[in-house]
Amino acid sequence: PQENETKHPPFQYVMCAATSPAVKLYDETLTYLNQGQSYEIRMLDNRKAGDIPEINGKLVKSIIRVVFHDRRLQYTEHQQLEGWKWNRPGDRLLDLDIPMSVGVIDIKTNPSQLNAVEFLWDPTKCTSAFIQVHCISTEFTPRKHGGEKGVPFRIQVDTFKQTENGEYTDHLHSASCQIKVFKPKGADRKQKTDREKMEKRTAHEKEKYQPSYDTTVLTEMRLEPIIEDAVEHEQKKSSKRTLPADYGDSLAKRGSCSPWPDTPTTFVNNSPTPAPTFTSAQHNTYSVPDSNSSSPNHQGDGTSQGSGDQLHPSATIQETQQWLLKHRFSTYTRLFSNFSGADLLKLTREDLVQICGPADGIRLYNALKSRSVRPRLTIYVCQEPLRSIQLERQDAGNGDSSNGAIYVYHAIYLEEMAASEVTRKLALAFNIPLHQINQVYRQGPTGIHILVSDQMVQNFQDESCFLFTTIKGTVSFLTVYFILV
């Protein structure tokens, strides 16, 4: 493409490994690597004069990762890597060959992130990072009988510049390439086999394939494949319906898809759990960029999402931005800056996963569909004084009215099968200060009082009904008694 048709990338990453000759002309390149062998990735400054002047004379940070190429494995990446770690204790999926690397500074690895390494480098100086991939493609295939086709991986490089507070969290550029990893010398044999197969093809058939290049250029991720997938998916959904001619153009106007969200809010961690940290030999630490998102908790009062929490097709661009912020998707407000409610709701689950990544993509899809978390246990509780409430019931048959005692119950949804969870939810449902509840008992046979424990809660039947009463104890403490009805 012409320079005025595409954004000029500020950096270029070139891996010194030959591409396969058995790749169709318009397909992405594929490179074969040997397990544990060091491969050079040259970090090149590709800026034009005047581009990104704020990094002149400064260092930038790059994170190199090996990730899955197949979407099926991206959904279960955590489980796949945990399984690999279990089978290969003490090993890493990706390492940096420090003695061979040139121009890299402050190299750090994270014991909990086995597939990533990070370092600082100066764009004005010659920089080469030598990587070693220790996992092989056939380790993640479902069958292990020999002769299986290995799964492809991706080598991905994300580069960041320093912010005003001194942290390297401002995303500059990302690029990746497709690879397959073989046992030692297996990549050389596979390359030779592909070359021999291509030599046997006719000249006309060879025109349909790419030549083999001595090096592999990591390419930027663009939104165009996602646009094509979205249009194709919408067309397949209904053969009777014709999409507007500008449907693909309207998606394209929403900007490019960065594999790493490009706003600093990405790296704010509001989770109470500590973020994993990169550690170096000098005991320096670096907090891993963590999306400020987590699965939404089930509401304490047991109600599902109301109409105010649901994004409507009629929502304006501004209302859509507010909805994203409210549901902890601030990372993607810039990406979806021109989306209305209808635009966002048109995107499929696959579209969102490709745009936002597996974790946030699935979470955003569930939020758009107003899917709440199903509780582990539901019980119904009625406070004993409420038994005196009298509600008139109209007899539909004879029109007579009669008074009857109505038990008014509250639904209690438990996410944890624990006695403390029962106490907390009771206090919330009946407006009782939690610190005033001393003990919770269940009335047993012959009226005995049994202390409610975690084991008892775990043996509650789902949708059990309880009456409860409170007894005032010393120092304003309350004792709650359950009566099973």
Side-chain angles (χ1 to χ4, degrees):
Q2 299 295 324
E3 287 189 0
N4 58 357
E5 295 179 2
T6 183
K7 183 180 177 181
H8 189 77
F11 303 104
Q12 192 172 51
Y13 320 112
V14 180
M15 183 166 61
C16 296
T19 62
S20 168
V23 177
K24 292 289 184 68
L25 196 58
Y26 296 105
D27 289 348
E28 184 181 10
T29 61
L30 176 61
T31 304
Y32 303 133
L33 304 183
N34 288 317
Q35 179 188 26
Q37 182 173 328
S38 296
Y39 291 91
E40 180 185 9
I41 297 181
R42 296 175 182 172
M43 318 290 289
L44 306 175
D45 187 357
N46 197 38
R47 293 176 296 159
K48 294 181 178 180
D51 285 355
I52 321 180
E54 60 270 23
I55 67 172
N56 291 339
K58 295 183 179 180
L59 301 176
V60 295
K61 181 180 74 176
S62 288
I63 300 176
I64 302 180
R65 295 180 288 162
V66 56
V67 295
F68 290 115
H69 173 78
D70 292 344
R71 185 182 298 167
R72 173 182 60 85
L73 292 173
Q74 290 175 5
Y75 291 148
T76 59
E77 180 176 293
H78 178 72
Q79 294 90 328
Q80 296 287 345
L81 297 185
E82 284 297 314
W84 188 90
K85 180 181 178 181
W86 177 266
N87 294 322
R88 303 270 297 273
D91 289 348
R92 293 183 54 84
L93 282 84
L94 183 70
D95 268 327
L96 200 65
D97 191 339
I98 299 177
M100 295 188 67
S101 299
V102 178
V104 295
I105 306 169
D106 197 15
I107 302 166
K108 297 175 184 178
T109 57
N110 180 356
S112 64
Q113 299 264 330
L114 303 179
N115 62 331
V117 294
E118 72 160 48
F119 53 86
L120 304 180
W121 59 287
D122 187 346
T124 61
K125 298 181 180 179
C126 295
T127 304
S128 291
F130 282 78
I131 62 167
Q132 298 171 338
V133 183
H134 298 292
C135 56
I136 59 176
S137 294
T138 53
E139 286 184 283
F140 299 96
T141 51
R143 297 185 181 87
K144 302 286 178 64
H145 301 298
E148 297 90 0
K149 187 176 182 180
V151 300
F153 301 119
R154 299 195 73 82
I155 294 293
Q156 182 166 323
V157 181
D158 304 292
T159 299
F160 305 85
K161 67 179 180 180
Q162 196 173 25
T163 58
E164 294 179 355
N165 58 10
E167 297 181 357
Y168 291 90
T169 55
D170 196 349
H171 178 257
L172 287 173
H173 180 247
S174 292
S176 64
C177 67
Q178 185 181 192
I179 64 167
K180 278 191 176 182
V181 185
F182 297 82
K183 290 183 178 180
K185 298 186 178 179
D188 305 316
R189 290 193 294 268
K190 178 63 175 172
Q191 187 81 356
K192 181 181 178 182
T193 302
D194 285 357
R195 189 168 58 248
E196 290 174 349
K197 286 182 179 179
M198 293 306 301
E199 289 173 354
K200 295 177 182 179
R201 295 183 182 273
T202 64
H204 178 70
E205 290 176 331
K206 290 180 181 178
E207 292 177 357
K208 300 178 183 179
Y209 290 85
Q210 301 180 24
S212 176
Y213 300 99
D214 293 335
T215 58
T216 303
V217 178
L218 279 66
T219 57
E220 288 187 292
M221 293 183 180
R222 295 290 185 183
L223 191 61
E224 284 76 6
I226 300 175
I227 296 172
E228 294 171 3
D229 290 345
V231 174
E232 182 181 358
H233 180 82
E234 289 294 327
Q235 292 285 16
K236 287 180 178 178
K237 279 173 63 177
S238 176
S239 57
K240 299 179 182 179
R241 180 165 57 92
T242 303
L243 290 177
D246 61 346
Y247 181 74
D249 294 337
S250 64
L251 283 177
K253 290 177 181 177
R254 296 166 189 166
S256 61
C257 175
S258 172
W260 200 293
D262 53 359
T263 57
T265 54
T266 307
F267 308 94
V268 177
N269 182 14
N270 294 330
S271 173
T273 56
T277 58
F278 280 102
T279 57
S280 66
Q282 292 78 18
H283 301 285
N284 295 328
T285 61
Y286 160 79
S287 295
V288 180
D290 185 16
S291 174
N292 60 342
S293 61
S294 60
S295 298
N297 293 325
H298 197 279
Q299 298 298 319
D301 58 359
T303 57
S304 60
Q305 286 184 333
S307 58
D309 289 338
Q310 188 173 0
L311 183 65
H312 295 281
S314 58
T316 63
I317 293 177
Q318 184 178 2
E319 290 170 343
T320 303
Q321 293 286 300
Q322 293 173 352
W323 183 90
L324 289 169
L325 289 171
K326 181 179 180 181
H327 290 78
R328 306 185 310 282
F329 293 104
S330 57
T331 301
Y332 304 101
T333 52
R334 180 177 174 183
L335 182 62
F336 296 119
S337 59
N338 292 321
F339 278 63
S340 64
D343 294 331
L344 202 57
L345 289 167
K346 284 179 182 177
L347 296 179
T348 66
R349 185 176 187 268
E350 290 75 17
D351 299 334
L352 294 171
V353 166
Q354 288 194 28
I355 294 172
C356 305
D360 283 347
I362 294 173
R363 191 172 70 87
L364 178 53
Y365 176 80
N366 289 337
L368 290 171
K369 302 302 178 183
S370 298
R371 294 186 176 183
S372 59
V373 179
R374 184 176 179 84
R376 297 181 63 185
L377 180 70
T378 302
I379 60 176
Y380 304 112
V381 179
C382 172
Q383 193 167 9
E384 201 167 14
L386 296 178
R387 289 184 294 175
S388 62
I389 296 178
Q390 303 292 319
L391 297 179
E392 293 187 356
R393 293 179 174 176
Q394 187 72 23
D395 191 333
N398 53 25
D400 294 336
S401 61
S402 60
N403 293 333
I406 301 299
Y407 291 86
V408 180
Y409 285 84
H410 289 254
I412 303 294
Y413 298 96
L414 303 179
E415 286 84 22
E416 297 180 13
M417 305 287 280
S420 59
E421 179 81 348
V422 174
T423 305
R424 186 176 66 85
K425 290 297 178 70
L426 279 174
L428 185 64
F430 295 97
N431 296 320
I432 302 173
L434 183 60
H435 67 275
Q436 290 188 8
I437 299 179
N438 186 21
Q439 295 289 355
V440 179
Y441 297 98
R442 179 176 178 179
Q443 184 171 314
T446 68
I448 64 174
H449 296 155
I450 307 169
L451 181 66
V452 175
S453 63
D454 293 348
Q455 189 173 3
M456 180 185 289
V457 175
Q458 291 164 10
N459 284 278
F460 278 171
Q461 291 186 358
D462 197 26
E463 298 193 334
S464 296
C465 297
F466 292 93
L467 295 177
F468 89 92
T469 184
T470 59
I471 298 177
K472 189 173 182 180
T474 58
V475 201
S476 300
F477 279 117
L478 299 176
T479 301
V480 180
Y481 292 100
F482 273 116
I483 304 174
L484 181 62
V485 297

